[in-house]
Amino acid sequence: MRYVGEFDVAKKELEVKLVSVPQSFALVQLKGADNLIEIYTKSYGEIPIVIQGAGAVKQVTARGVLTDILKMAEKVKIKEAVWI
């Protein structure tokens, strides 16, 4: 089980949920406070661009993730946010 956040630019939706992840996914390989971001684009189709690295304690990570989400929302000019 892993916590997964999904940000859909086209739909302007953000969702964070606990999911069961297949063993073949890169997310399963994370240890401790490591972080991983998969970026799906039209150019790459079903193969994501993966950014992975060491994370921090949960409070620092949560603050960083929230800051990144807010920056992305600003860039795509989301006027209203629906937090699920």
Side-chain angles (χ1 to χ4, degrees), residues 47-83:
I47 301 170
I49 299 167
V50 178
I51 302 170
Q52 182 176 345
V57 295
K58 60 185 171 184
Q59 295 86 349
V60 175
T61 300
R63 186 179 321 119
V65 169
L66 180 57
T67 299
D68 290 345
I69 290 168
L70 293 173
K71 285 179 183 177
M72 287 189 295
E74 178 70 25
K75 289 190 182 289
V76 296
K77 303 193 185 316
I78 294 177
K79 304 256 187 242
E80 294 181 13
V82 178
W83 301 95

Side-chain angles (χ1 to χ4, degrees), residues 12-80:
K12 299 180 182 178
E13 293 178 348
L14 170 67
E15 183 178 10
V16 179
K17 56 192 171 186
L18 186 60
V19 298
S20 177
V21 182
Q23 290 294 318
S24 60
F25 282 35
L27 192 57
V28 172
Q29 307 307 315
L30 293 178
K31 303 286 187 235
D34 286 354
N35 293 309
L36 180 133
I37 297 173
E38 293 182 336
I39 303 169
Y40 291 86
T41 65
K42 290 179 184 177
S43 299
Y44 284 87
E46 294 297 316
I47 301 170
I49 299 167
V50 178
I51 302 170
Q52 182 176 345
V57 295
K58 60 185 171 184
Q59 295 86 349
V60 175
T61 300
R63 186 179 321 119
V65 169
L66 180 57
T67 299
D68 290 345
I69 290 168
L70 293 173
K71 285 179 183 177
M72 287 189 295
E74 178 70 25
K75 289 190 182 289
V76 296
K77 303 193 185 316
I78 294 177
K79 304 256 187 242
E80 294 181 13

